[in-house]
Amino acid sequence: MTVESTAARKPRRSGAKRSTTTRDTKKQPAGQTELVQLLTPEGERVEHPEYAIDPTPEELRGLYRDMVLTRRFDAEATTLQRQGELGLWASLLGQEAAQIGSGRALNDADYVFPTYREHGVAWCRGVDPTNLLGMFRGVNHGGWDPNSNNFHLYTIVIGSQTLHATGYAMGVAKDGADAAVLAYFGDGASSQGDVAESFTFSAVYNAPVVFFCQNNQWAISEPTEKQTRVPLYQRAQGFGFPGVRVDGNDVLACLAVTKAALERARTGQGPMLIEAFTYRMGAHTTSDDPTRYRSPEERELWETKDPILRLRTLLTREGLADDAYFAELERESDALAKRVRDAVRAMPDPEDMAMFEHIYADGHALVDEERAQFAEYQASFVTAEEGI
Amino acid sequence: MTVESTAARKPRRSGAKRSTTTRDTKKQPAGQTELVQLLTPEGERVEHPEYAIDPTPEELRGLYRDMVLTRRFDAEATTLQRQGELGLWASLLGQEAAQIGSGRALNDADYVFPTYREHGVAWCRGVDPTNLLGMFRGVNHGGWDPNSNNFHLYTIVIGSQTLHATGYAMGVAKDGADAAVLAYFGDGASSQGDVAESFTFSAVYNAPVVFFCQNNQWAISEPTEKQTRVPLYQRAQGFGFPGVRVDGNDVLACLAVTKAALERARTGQGPMLIEAFTYRMGAHTTSDDPTRYRSPEERELWETKDPILRLRTLLTREGLADDAYFAELERESDALAKRVRDAVRAMPDPEDMAMFEHIYADGHALVDEERAQFAEYQASFVTAEEGI
Amino acid sequence: MAAEKMSLSKAINASLRTALETDPKVLIMGEDVGKLGGVFRVTDGLQKDFGEDRVIDTPLAESGIVGTAIGLALRGYRPVVEIQFDGFVFPAYDQIVTQLAKMHARSLGKVKLPVVVRIPYGGGIGAVEHHSESPEALFAHVAGLKVVSPANASDAYWMLQQAIDSDDPVIYFEPKRRYHDKSEVDTAAIPGPLHAARVVRPGTDLTLAAYGPMVKVALDAAAAAAEEGKSIEVMDLRSMSPIDFDTIQRSVERTGRLVVVHEAPVFLGTGSEIAARVTERCFYHLQAPVLRVGGFHSPYPPSRLEDEYLPGLDRVLDAVDRALAY
Amino acid sequence: MAAEKMSLSKAINASLRTALETDPKVLIMGEDVGKLGGVFRVTDGLQKDFGEDRVIDTPLAESGIVGTAIGLALRGYRPVVEIQFDGFVFPAYDQIVTQLAKMHARSLGKVKLPVVVRIPYGGGIGAVEHHSESPEALFAHVAGLKVVSPANASDAYWMLQQAIDSDDPVIYFEPKRRYHDKSEVDTAAIPGPLHAARVVRPGTDLTLAAYGPMVKVALDAAAAAAEEGKSIEVMDLRSMSPIDFDTIQRSVERTGRLVVVHEAPVFLGTGSEIAARVTERCFYHLQAPVLRVGGFHSPYPPSRLEDEYLPGLDRVLDAVDRALAY
Ligand SMILES: Cc1ncc(C[n+]2csc(CCOP(=O)(O)OP(=O)(O)O)c2C)c(N)n1
Ligand SMILES: Cc1ncc(C[n+]2csc(CCOP(=O)(O)OP(=O)(O)O)c2C)c(N)n1
Ligand SMILES: [Mg+2]
Ligand SMILES: [Mg+2]
């Protein structure tokens, strides 16, 4: 399976040439917004004075591969949810460039604080995709060790993690470490007080944190206009640090801008806000029904800006990847999907007594008491059954 | 007693000519900040293209009188605290221009949401000064009916009232009323998430609310640099509405800018942020000891920018007020002070049973039960005593 | 409309519709309550019929939602705000506790804040973290708030009407896993008091008190116990602040035994207050200590464990047996 | 240093100093904790001696303080944050409840958050609104937090050391009206367990349990009762989560009567849990219901009423008498 995966297949044929000017200017008042773009929807490289980048063919193929595998994994997870293997899934479909571009900008020593949708960033960090599924299956609330890959657990309460990221970055600065922190949040999250407080703290302490806002145009059913009346990247300036809007469907631009911002942070120049202008192609989660609040036309429009397709166009046109490469990647995608599917199906439910574990690091008398009572209660059934 | 009231007497003689440039530019990075000023510390009128104002002599005297009486009241309250009549007092000393200027910009139909220090605004709204003292004496948590003077109760939890103001303004807009809302907060408060959320809500709903931030340079012991690294008025822009910095010790500038902002709001042009650049001349409250964290020099510097003195200079130089006027105002001040003093001393403690009143508008069984039990408990003493 | 069988969520929708129709000052506010009709469709169709000015999609900020609702109430409106899930009420907790609850007292009664905060709460729907909590004790402890929870469609309709009519702030907890349960709603009836408990199944051996989602479990337990010859009186408490202790007391004075069930953690849950106060009131009537069945002192577990975590039939019956064994 | 008489606030200062000296990862954070040394001077001199990098004046935003402290803890630091007054903890409540309390469990134990939240609490100092509250039950109900409160200088010193040493988040409530009370602190002693209750005055007729600021009132009450020939055992609970029920139980099994006192409102206060659980554990030993003395179901009143509002000697003795009258 290639780019044309289940979830994204249908409307791509609608053609890559449709003009998007009217729509975009609706969202971006003229003159106010400059969108950093290095690769057009038509797959053309463009120059940007501030954010130059010159990836090798190998690197380009790597970014492409990351995006394809991420999308494939995501589609598989959606399928697994439909099959009842997961209780819920929050798809990243459409946001692959924003996530892979920013994720591949990271150094090993950097630290990431995701929302609940950064499956592509997790992939870049080397978190096993299967581990992401535990919480969506309902077997845990977060199935990986954040310190193994410098990738924090998913945070569901909107905006909270931006403060954790800021505090972590304050610690990085205290340690004098050569590292930065990357904090993800959404357009909806921009309204939360915690996000504003994280801007204040990071500015005052000049913390090495980069705020990466994926403006995917929607917070469940609410368009970005319900959160702000000016472009979100502008929010940063009033807190005393720069903000920039990048084409969130352009993996090269996301990579270049994030790399620059992280380097800025690592070299003591403080926080920066990146607004990745992108689109949530799927439902908010598998529980959501976007037909209730947005038009198919809008989605079709964004299909024409697909992040994967444009890089494929470039790779093909420039002769950087051939059919064999794409076929091999398809095989790899299928293998990944199968591995994930098998792993999820094999994922055992937690033991009942796990309820009483890890509530405290140093123990707690009440937990001990309740654990003992529950064990006794359960034993009473065994006894009763045995009694029969 | 005239302008030279107890609390403000000493250092004014240090002269009005001291240059303040170096200090100011420290706080205001060059070029970034324009300070709206219509009356210099030396009492000179200056023009401003956007904020013209041409008050009559009567109006100028009125502003002067408001500031003098407010300062006198404030000094009396400080004295009353020292004498044990109040548990605490939060002095507005130094902020008279910011408060009277903005307060006199209001129409009757406008609504005000203060912090705990807006005694001058309360005065403008016609709230009896005595009523302000109840909470500081400890006889109530807020002693006036907000709807009598369109002046909400003092709010102690920092920042909360900015959301109430925004909601109120949303209601004003719904009603199609010709009114605006004025929300006060401090430089410290600017860091609270609630304030950011009020910016978001007011911008999204285009609510007729003006945010008036008195940047008095300190949040208890913390200088404004602990809250922001750029001028606070700039915060507004990233939320999509204008911000302006005004000389907060210039009553004319505060009046003009607030008038314009309120009119903007009333005519459907949405929120605006005003940062009044001023100084808290006294302690944070009577519990505070500012010598622990700031230098006498800083205070002396701000003495030279005294809001009252500069207007007095203007009135005198232009022959708008004579000695008789000032003497009469001194008598009026004394009378006000005496009235407040007498009223506070006569202020009775609440009845014990008042603890159980006004917790709910529609009653609550538990409150009824506890009220009855407490009455019975108290009666048991009476009986016991009678028994003796 | 009069009597009609409807689901609990439809009853809330109908109640909101009635309120919007009856009083132009009533507003609905929250995340996704407009076009989407809420993530549970509880506000379905309301924005379409009453406009964006009365059914308001808000920015994603709970403190802002409650804070602006307070401002709107000060202006004379009667906002009904929705918190999307139980676990997301905490960003608004400051506004609720320090402002919404206290402003009436602060103003010596001059200011009234008729704000209703609707919170879908509780577990049992297989959700991820923060979507299954029962934080009612954290509100009931706070003076100035009233806290209620309906257990069936009729109460859902009427208690919401009464909450909106109340001049006090009311936290209205909706048992989300009962949203689809249907029962008769008579919109022409004259409802009883908002804060009264109700005996929903009479019995003589033990009183089993519950509210919200646990009333069904309690009734099932009583039915099961009946088959073993035990007569359990089931009480739907309906209100957690105030709690109708008079009605509980009358029942316990007859039965001599009380078991309280809720989903919320037992430790400092509403059951603790009920146990303490009923023991005080009925010290000489109680044949057994008041027993409590509820959640454990742990975060709400991953959904694959919720059947074990939530008080179900067996755990309730176990407590009943233990109480009867005294 | 060894044994020395000092005030409770000085003991906290000394304890923070020890922690800063011993462990370079310990940080102090809060509003005005630096140059000013806190509004109660509890952190006096610490910034001067340990620098702005370790004793940090923060922006005025409680959620930000706790949220960044969590981040710092994730990075390996051990932040001790100060909330300036009890009533100002609520803006941070979301971070405390949904993040600080739950992250250890969320990570299946991989992440530890050794964060201490210091909160001066309680009334009796003649303050304005929001400066005199006792919100401990709102934290004790939440799994993942530990909640303690010292009643004297020695405990203030040692319990804070232990809280900082703990790998769990600890909410450390400081009885602000006892800040100036002096007693012996032996900084070389070996402290008992952090969460153990302690009998501070033995007695045989009734157990009187208190914590924080009310321990002194309880001791005074016991002394007064002794003059009337009543032998009251006073227990300093010290920890509200967990509560040391074993020690309470042992006492009540001997005395047969229990009165619990706290400043917090009685309704759903910690006393309710103690009453409920002790009644369960000691059903056949109790000669009287567990009685509770505490605040009323009202906002903390204006300070001129606080003497009536706060449980004082008379109200405690009244409850003691009522309990003994059974
Ligand atoms: C505090 C809080 N309130 C509400 C929710 C419910 N909720 C989950 S996702 C979401 C929308 C988030 O939108 P955005 O920040 O744009 O991120 P996206 O889902 O688009 O990636 C909402 C309202 C939540 N998780 N947390
Ligand atoms: C939420 C909250 N946190 C802390 C406090 C304690 N406090 C009272 S005033 C104050 C400083 C406020 O500074 P600023 O906003 O600049 O107003 P100013 O006092 O200078 O007028 C603080 C920290 C509070 N009242 N509320
Ligand atoms: Mg979004
Ligand atoms: Mg200030």
Side-chain angles (χ1 to χ4, degrees):
Chain A
M1 180 164 283
T2 71
V3 185
E4 281 70 38
S5 72
T6 330
R9 191 182 299 142
K10 290 171 297 179
R12 179 134 337 96
R13 55 182 151 61
S14 67
K17 287 283 129 158
R18 187 193 305 246
S19 160
T20 65
T21 334
T22 3
R23 269 287 174 144
D24 268 354
T25 46
K26 220 193 94 201
K27 299 249 180 208
Q28 312 161 216
Q32 262 187 331
T33 306
E34 207 218 350
L35 187 78
V36 177
Q37 193 181 67
L38 302 179
L39 180 64
T40 69
E42 294 75 28
E44 310 282 355
R45 285 293 313 262
V46 284
E47 297 289 311
H48 191 283
E50 260 180 274
Y51 300 103
I53 196 172
D54 194 16
T56 64
E58 172 95 40
E59 282 164 345
L60 286 173
R61 280 190 301 268
L63 294 168
Y64 182 77
R65 174 177 171 273
D66 288 337
M67 291 197 289
V68 168
L69 291 179
T70 297
R71 181 173 287 186
R72 184 66 177 84
F73 161 70
D74 184 77
E76 188 61 32
T78 300
T79 306
L80 285 165
Q81 194 280 333
R82 292 212 187 96
Q83 294 170 349
E85 295 290 343
L86 303 180
L88 185 81
W89 182 243
S91 164
L92 66 19
L93 188 66
Q95 301 177 215
E96 294 86 355
Q99 297 194 12
I100 299 300
S102 57
R104 283 299 175 205
L106 291 155
N107 288 350
D108 280 354
D110 298 335
Y111 212 97
V112 172
F113 286 83
T115 72
Y116 40 78
R117 204 189 285 287
E118 272 66 71
H119 321 312
V121 186
W123 170 263
C124 295
R125 295 264 87 186
V127 177
D128 186 325
T130 309
N131 285 347
L132 301 177
L133 300 177
M135 64 175 270
F136 291 99
R137 184 172 169 88
V139 301
N140 60 44
H141 290 317
W144 59 95
D145 181 348
N147 290 320
S148 302
N149 306 73
N150 283 7
F151 185 77
H152 190 69
L153 297 173
Y154 281 171
T155 296
I156 291 178
V157 180
I158 300 289
S160 308
Q161 76 282 0
T162 59
L163 280 169
H164 310 158
T166 301
Y168 195 95
M170 288 161 62
V172 166
K174 274 183 204 308
D175 297 343
D178 182 26
V181 177
L182 190 53
Y184 288 86
F185 66 98
D187 46 292
S190 70
S191 296
Q192 280 287 6
D194 272 10
V195 174
E197 294 188 10
S198 73
F199 286 8
T200 287
F201 276 68
S202 64
V204 165
Y205 298 118
N206 203 42
V209 56
V210 174
F211 297 103
F212 195 91
C213 174
Q214 286 172 86
N215 178 353
N216 63 6
Q217 313 303 323
W218 293 92
I220 310 188
S221 73
E222 299 194 12
T224 310
E225 287 83 348
K226 291 280 174 222
Q227 318 291 341
T228 180
R229 60 188 202 185
V230 288
L232 280 172
Y233 77 92
Q234 296 180 6
R235 183 69 49 86
Q237 214 186 323
F239 291 86
F241 56 91
V244 62
R245 180 180 276 186
V246 58
D247 182 344
N249 285 14
D250 171 352
V251 71
L252 300 183
C254 290
L255 175 66
V257 171
T258 312
K259 253 189 191 307
L262 288 169
E263 191 51 23
R264 233 187 131 262
R266 280 186 219 106
T267 52
Q269 296 169 77
M272 182 163 158
L273 169 63
I274 300 170
E275 177 192 5
F277 205 74
T278 180
Y279 195 73
R280 195 194 76 210
M281 296 299 287
H284 169 69
T285 64
T286 45
S287 300
D288 180 41
D289 174 11
T291 64
R292 292 179 69 99
Y293 54 81
R294 66 186 195 184
S295 68
E297 288 76 27
E298 185 179 282
R299 193 185 185 284
E300 276 171 38
L301 178 85
W302 280 91
E303 286 276 349
T304 67
K305 307 191 199 182
D306 186 74
I308 297 185
L309 189 60
R310 66 174 81 174
L311 185 52
R312 187 184 172 115
T313 308
L314 180 75
L315 289 175
T316 312
R317 196 183 49 239
E318 313 247 310
L320 303 176
D322 56 12
D323 284 355
Y325 172 82
F326 293 119
E328 172 54 30
L329 184 53
E330 193 175 331
R331 268 189 297 278
E332 193 183 355
S333 297
D334 287 343
L336 172 66
K338 180 171 181 336
R339 180 166 75 78
V340 167
R341 193 163 56 239
D342 292 347
V344 165
R345 290 189 174 144
M347 216 180 258
D349 282 358
E351 297 291 321
D352 293 351
M353 297 312 284
M355 283 192 290
F356 303 100
E357 296 314 310
H358 304 306
I359 303 166
Y360 293 91
D362 296 343
H364 191 280
L366 177 59
V367 174
D368 295 341
E369 183 179 327
E370 291 186 342
R371 185 197 292 107
Q373 280 167 355
F374 188 75
E376 200 181 316
Y377 162 76
Q378 286 207 311
S380 74
F381 285 94
V382 180
T383 322
E385 274 161 30
E386 279 169 356
I388 290 163
Chain B
M1 179 165 284
T2 70
V3 184
E4 280 71 38
S5 72
T6 330
R9 191 182 297 142
K10 292 170 298 182
R12 181 135 336 98
R13 54 181 153 62
S14 67
K17 289 281 132 164
R18 188 192 304 247
S19 158
T20 64
T21 336
T22 1
R23 271 285 175 144
D24 268 354
T25 45
K26 219 193 95 203
K27 298 247 179 206
Q28 312 160 216
Q32 262 187 329
T33 306
E34 206 216 351
L35 187 78
V36 177
Q37 193 181 65
L38 301 180
L39 180 65
T40 69
E42 293 75 27
E44 311 281 356
R45 288 292 314 260
V46 284
E47 299 287 311
H48 192 284
E50 259 181 275
Y51 300 103
I53 196 172
D54 194 16
T56 64
E58 172 95 38
E59 283 165 345
L60 286 174
R61 280 192 300 268
L63 294 168
Y64 182 77
R65 175 176 170 273
D66 288 337
M67 290 198 289
V68 168
L69 291 178
T70 297
R71 181 173 288 185
R72 184 65 178 87
F73 161 70
D74 184 75
E76 187 60 33
T78 301
T79 305
L80 285 165
Q81 194 281 332
R82 292 210 188 99
Q83 293 169 350
E85 296 289 344
L86 302 180
L88 185 81
W89 182 243
S91 165
L92 64 22
L93 188 67
Q95 301 177 217
E96 295 86 356
Q99 296 195 11
I100 300 299
S102 58
R104 284 299 175 204
L106 291 155
N107 288 351
D108 280 354
D110 297 337
Y111 212 97
V112 172
F113 285 84
T115 71
Y116 41 79
R117 206 188 284 286
E118 271 66 70
H119 320 313
V121 186
W123 170 263
C124 295
R125 293 265 88 186
V127 176
D128 187 324
T130 309
N131 285 348
L132 302 177
L133 300 177
M135 64 174 269
F136 292 100
R137 184 172 169 88
V139 303
N140 60 45
H141 289 320
W144 60 94
D145 180 349
N147 289 321
S148 301
N149 307 72
N150 283 8
F151 185 77
H152 191 68
L153 297 173
Y154 281 171
T155 296
I156 291 178
V157 180
I158 300 290
S160 308
Q161 76 282 357
T162 58
L163 281 169
H164 309 158
T166 301
Y168 195 96
M170 288 162 62
V172 167
K174 275 182 205 306
D175 297 342
D178 182 25
V181 176
L182 190 53
Y184 288 86
F185 66 99
D187 45 293
S190 70
S191 296
Q192 280 287 6
D194 272 9
V195 174
E197 294 189 10
S198 73
F199 287 6
T200 287
F201 276 69
S202 63
V204 165
Y205 298 119
N206 202 41
V209 56
V210 174
F211 297 102
F212 195 91
C213 174
Q214 286 171 85
N215 178 353
N216 62 8
Q217 313 304 324
W218 293 93
I220 309 188
S221 74
E222 299 193 13
T224 310
E225 288 82 349
K226 291 280 174 221
Q227 317 291 342
T228 180
R229 61 188 201 185
V230 287
L232 281 173
Y233 77 92
Q234 296 180 5
R235 183 69 51 87
Q237 214 186 323
F239 290 86
F241 56 91
V244 63
R245 179 181 277 187
V246 58
D247 182 344
N249 285 14
D250 171 352
V251 71
L252 299 183
C254 290
L255 176 66
V257 172
T258 312
K259 253 189 192 307
L262 289 168
E263 190 52 24
R264 234 186 130 262
R266 281 187 217 105
T267 52
Q269 295 171 76
M272 181 164 159
L273 168 64
I274 300 170
E275 177 192 4
F277 205 73
T278 181
Y279 193 73
R280 194 194 77 210
M281 296 298 288
H284 170 69
T285 65
T286 46
S287 300
D288 179 41
D289 174 10
T291 65
R292 292 178 69 100
Y293 54 81
R294 67 187 193 184
S295 70
E297 289 75 27
E298 184 178 282
R299 192 185 187 282
E300 276 171 39
L301 178 85
W302 280 91
E303 285 277 348
T304 66
K305 308 190 198 181
D306 186 75
I308 296 186
L309 189 60
R310 67 173 80 176
L311 186 51
R312 188 184 171 114
T313 307
L314 180 74
L315 289 174
T316 312
R317 196 183 49 240
E318 311 247 311
L320 305 176
D322 56 11
D323 284 355
Y325 172 81
F326 293 118
E328 172 55 29
L329 184 54
E330 193 176 330
R331 268 189 297 279
E332 194 183 354
S333 298
D334 286 343
L336 172 66
K338 182 171 176 345
R339 180 166 76 77
V340 166
R341 193 164 55 240
D342 292 347
V344 165
R345 290 187 175 146
M347 216 180 257
D349 283 359
E351 297 289 324
D352 293 352
M353 297 312 285
M355 283 192 291
F356 302 100
E357 298 312 311
H358 305 307
I359 303 166
Y360 293 91
D362 295 344
H364 191 279
L366 177 59
V367 174
D368 295 342
E369 182 179 329
E370 291 187 341
R371 185 196 293 107
Q373 279 167 356
F374 188 74
E376 201 182 315
Y377 163 75
Q378 285 207 312
S380 74
F381 285 93
V382 180
T383 322
E385 273 160 32
E386 278 168 357
I388 290 162
Chain C
M1 190 157 55
E4 193 183 311
K5 204 160 179 178
M6 61 176 97
S7 69
L8 197 148
S9 65
K10 275 272 180 330
I12 296 173
N13 181 282
S15 192
L16 291 171
R17 180 174 287 278
T18 305
L20 285 163
E21 277 164 358
T22 325
D23 185 348
K25 292 295 186 188
V26 169
L27 304 173
I28 314 289
M29 300 171 68
E31 296 157 9
D32 307 293
V33 297
K35 215 162 183 183
L36 182 63
V39 294
F40 291 107
R41 308 292 180 268
V42 169
T43 53
D44 193 26
L46 298 179
Q47 188 182 69
K48 192 166 141 280
D49 293 344
F50 296 93
E52 291 192 29
D53 220 47
R54 302 208 45 212
V55 181
I56 307 169
D57 276 325
T58 65
L60 207 175
E62 286 77 7
S63 188
I65 295 170
V66 173
T68 55
I70 290 172
L72 281 156
L74 290 171
R75 179 73 192 179
Y77 286 87
R78 303 185 87 85
V80 182
V81 315
E82 173 177 307
I83 299 292
Q84 202 161 78
F85 281 90
D86 33 68
F88 307 142
V89 71
F90 299 112
Y93 195 69
D94 175 54
Q95 282 286 347
I96 293 174
V97 167
T98 70
Q99 306 302 321
L100 187 59
K102 296 188 170 56
M103 207 177 280
H104 183 67
R106 186 178 301 149
S107 74
L108 297 173
K110 307 273 181 0
V111 161
K112 296 190 174 95
L113 291 182
V115 176
V116 176
V117 182
R118 294 179 38 236
I119 310 179
Y121 82 124
I125 62 161
V128 293
E129 202 186 349
H130 310 291
H131 290 69
S132 306
E133 300 174 9
S134 299
E136 62 272 18
L138 301 174
F139 296 89
H141 184 50
V142 177
L145 303 175
K146 291 175 170 174
V147 183
V148 301
S149 181
N152 58 58
S154 175
D155 271 357
Y157 180 90
W158 280 113
M159 290 170 71
L160 184 52
Q161 288 291 304
Q162 294 171 313
I164 295 171
D165 283 347
S166 168
D167 277 338
D168 290 310
V170 178
I171 316 293
Y172 180 89
F173 280 105
E174 304 177 0
K176 68 169 92 86
R177 66 164 149 149
R178 307 293 177 215
Y179 269 152
H180 300 301
D181 291 7
K182 288 191 177 181
S183 59
E184 191 88 350
V185 178
D186 181 356
T187 57
I190 293 163
L194 176 57
H195 300 290
R198 183 192 296 139
V199 174
V200 288
R201 177 188 171 115
T204 52
D205 297 339
L206 181 145
T207 306
L208 185 56
Y211 52 84
M214 293 309 295
V215 173
K216 182 179 175 342
V217 175
L219 284 167
D220 290 350
E227 290 181 15
E228 299 172 11
K230 299 163 195 159
S231 169
I232 309 295
E233 175 145 311
V234 178
M235 185 168 305
D236 179 355
L237 294 174
R238 299 171 77 250
S239 176
M240 284 79 77
S241 177
I243 293 173
D244 181 0
F245 285 107
D246 292 344
T247 302
I248 308 176
Q249 179 175 355
R250 271 196 301 275
S251 173
V252 173
E253 280 175 359
R254 278 191 290 102
T255 63
R257 287 178 171 85
L258 175 63
V259 172
V260 187
V261 198
H262 50 58
E263 289 190 17
V266 165
F267 188 80
L268 277 169
T270 51
S272 68
E273 180 63 38
I274 294 169
R277 206 166 286 247
V278 168
T279 305
E280 231 183 290
R281 289 192 177 203
C282 308
F283 190 63
Y284 293 119
H285 288 94
L286 280 170
Q287 306 295 312
V290 178
L291 297 186
R292 297 170 290 160
V293 187
F296 302 111
H297 191 69
S298 77
Y300 194 90
S303 62
R304 298 264 171 161
L305 285 175
E306 69 184 345
D307 284 348
E308 309 305 323
Y309 176 87
L310 288 170
L313 198 64
D314 285 332
R315 275 177 60 208
V316 173
L317 288 173
D318 174 66
V320 165
D321 288 347
R322 281 187 288 122
L324 289 171
Y326 270 83
Chain D
M1 193 155 54
E4 191 184 314
K5 205 161 180 177
M6 59 176 97
S7 69
L8 196 149
S9 65
K10 277 271 181 330
I12 296 172
N13 181 282
S15 190
L16 292 170
R17 179 173 288 276
T18 305
L20 286 163
E21 277 164 358
T22 325
D23 184 347
K25 291 296 185 187
V26 169
L27 304 173
I28 314 288
M29 299 170 68
E31 296 157 9
D32 306 293
V33 297
K35 215 162 184 184
L36 182 64
V39 295
F40 292 106
R41 310 292 180 269
V42 169
T43 54
D44 194 25
L46 298 178
Q47 188 181 69
K48 193 167 140 279
D49 293 345
F50 296 93
E52 292 191 29
D53 220 48
R54 305 214 34 218
V55 181
I56 305 169
D57 276 324
T58 64
L60 207 175
E62 286 78 8
S63 188
I65 295 170
V66 173
T68 55
I70 291 171
L72 281 156
L74 290 170
R75 180 73 193 179
Y77 287 87
R78 304 185 87 85
V80 183
V81 314
E82 174 178 305
I83 299 293
Q84 201 161 76
F85 282 90
D86 32 68
F88 307 141
V89 72
F90 300 111
Y93 196 69
D94 175 54
Q95 282 285 349
I96 293 174
V97 167
T98 70
Q99 305 301 322
L100 187 60
K102 297 187 171 57
M103 207 177 280
H104 182 68
R106 186 179 301 150
S107 74
L108 296 174
K110 307 274 183 356
V111 160
K112 295 191 173 97
L113 292 182
V115 176
V116 176
V117 181
R118 294 180 37 236
I119 309 180
Y121 82 124
I125 64 160
V128 293
E129 202 185 348
H130 310 291
H131 290 71
S132 306
E133 299 173 8
S134 298
E136 63 271 18
L138 303 174
F139 296 89
H141 183 52
V142 177
L145 303 175
K146 291 176 170 173
V147 183
V148 301
S149 180
N152 58 59
S154 175
D155 271 357
Y157 181 90
W158 279 113
M159 290 169 72
L160 184 52
Q161 288 292 306
Q162 294 170 312
I164 295 171
D165 283 348
S166 169
D167 277 338
D168 290 310
V170 179
I171 316 293
Y172 180 89
F173 280 104
E174 304 178 0
K176 67 168 93 85
R177 65 164 149 149
R178 306 294 176 215
Y179 269 152
H180 301 302
D181 291 7
K182 289 191 176 182
S183 58
E184 191 88 348
V185 178
D186 181 355
T187 56
I190 294 162
L194 176 57
H195 300 289
R198 184 192 295 139
V199 174
V200 289
R201 177 187 173 117
T204 52
D205 298 339
L206 180 146
T207 305
L208 185 57
Y211 53 85
M214 293 309 295
V215 172
K216 183 179 172 345
V217 175
L219 284 167
D220 292 348
E227 289 180 17
E228 299 172 10
K230 298 162 194 159
S231 169
I232 309 295
E233 176 146 311
V234 178
M235 186 168 304
D236 179 357
L237 294 173
R238 299 172 75 250
S239 176
M240 283 79 76
S241 176
I243 293 173
D244 180 1
F245 286 107
D246 292 344
T247 302
I248 307 175
Q249 177 176 356
R250 272 195 300 276
S251 174
V252 172
E253 281 175 358
R254 279 191 289 103
T255 64
R257 288 179 171 84
L258 175 63
V259 172
V260 187
V261 198
H262 49 59
E263 290 190 17
V266 165
F267 188 81
L268 277 169
T270 52
S272 67
E273 180 63 39
I274 296 169
R277 206 165 288 247
V278 169
T279 305
E280 231 184 291
R281 289 192 178 204
C282 308
F283 190 64
Y284 293 119
H285 289 95
L286 279 170
Q287 306 297 311
V290 178
L291 298 186
R292 297 170 290 162
V293 188
F296 302 112
H297 190 69
S298 77
Y300 195 89
S303 62
R304 298 263 172 161
L305 285 176
E306 70 184 344
D307 285 348
E308 309 306 324
Y309 175 88
L310 288 169
L313 198 63
D314 286 333
R315 274 177 61 209
V316 173
L317 288 173
D318 173 67
V320 166
D321 288 348
R322 281 188 287 122
L324 289 172
Y326 272 82

